[in-house]
Amino acid sequence: MIFQKGTYHITTFEHFEQSINEVEIDTAPHYTQAEKYELAAKKHVENTELEGAISSYRQALGIYEQLENHSRIAQMLGKLGKLKNRTGDLDGALITFAKCIEIYKVLGSKEIAKAEAMYEIANVYHDKGDLDEAIDYWKQALP
């Protein structure tokens, strides 16, 4: 009697609703794990263990990429870009900030964050000794 009128549909809907609830519950540990990596990265920065911080932020970034949380992805890229600049990986910093800006452009409403990334790119160009590019990006960072 599995095909009794209405029974099959109700059971199917109940399973669907339960699956949706399980998916929502299952993402929570991922966010918690990503936040733990972020906290670890902050501790590494406080202890000037920049490579450890980069590793922890990369772990958090990977989780946010799996969850397709573009706002958090852009934030992690911004933090990684700053660390790459501090460790002397200037080209890596430029690439990372460029990815960050592209995400903010797609998100649209993150003008302040995009301006901050532009400012950081300007700083990288300054550190590379390319003052013309630095000035150009500093101008773009202005409102």
Side-chain angles (χ1 to χ4, degrees), residues 73-124:
I73 291 168
Q75 290 173 5
M76 293 304 100
L77 288 170
K79 292 174 189 237
L80 282 167
K82 288 178 186 179
L83 288 169
K84 287 181 178 189
N85 189 22
R86 285 181 63 184
T87 60
D89 181 7
L90 303 181
D91 291 331
L94 290 173
I95 291 167
T96 303
F97 283 126
K99 290 177 185 176
C100 176
I101 289 169
E102 286 304 312
I103 292 170
Y104 283 134
K105 284 180 182 177
V106 171
L107 293 176
S109 64
K110 303 286 185 176
E111 289 302 314
I112 293 172
K114 188 172 83 176
E116 183 181 341
M118 292 285 196
Y119 174 79
E120 294 296 339
I121 288 177
N123 290 339
V124 174

Side-chain angles (χ1 to χ4, degrees), residues 8-131:
Y8 179 73
H9 296 289
I10 291 171
T11 303
T12 302
F13 181 75
E14 287 172 353
H15 287 294
F16 174 74
E17 189 174 348
Q18 181 181 0
S19 296
I20 294 295
N21 290 335
E22 288 173 4
V23 168
E24 289 174 6
I25 291 168
D26 285 344
T27 60
H30 295 294
Y31 279 106
T32 302
Q33 188 61 41
E35 290 166 352
K36 287 179 183 177
Y37 282 122
E38 287 186 65
L39 288 174
K42 289 176 185 177
K43 287 290 184 190
H44 285 300
V45 170
E46 288 172 9
N47 296 323
T48 63
E49 299 166 351
L50 301 184
E51 291 301 326
I54 289 171
S55 176
S56 293
Y57 278 132
R58 281 185 180 149
Q59 291 292 329
L61 174 63
I63 293 169
Y64 291 129
E65 286 173 336
Q66 289 176 341
L67 296 171
E68 297 181 8
N69 185 329
H70 300 291
S71 180
R72 297 299 293 158
I73 291 168
Q75 290 173 5
M76 293 304 100
L77 288 170
K79 292 174 189 237
L80 282 167
K82 288 178 186 179
L83 288 169
K84 287 181 178 189
N85 189 22
R86 285 181 63 184
T87 60
D89 181 7
L90 303 181
D91 291 331
L94 290 173
I95 291 167
T96 303
F97 283 126
K99 290 177 185 176
C100 176
I101 289 169
E102 286 304 312
I103 292 170
Y104 283 134
K105 284 180 182 177
V106 171
L107 293 176
S109 64
K110 303 286 185 176
E111 289 302 314
I112 293 172
K114 188 172 83 176
E116 183 181 341
M118 292 285 196
Y119 174 79
E120 294 296 339
I121 288 177
N123 290 339
V124 174
Y125 277 116
H126 178 267
D127 292 347
K128 288 182 84 162
D130 190 341
L131 298 182

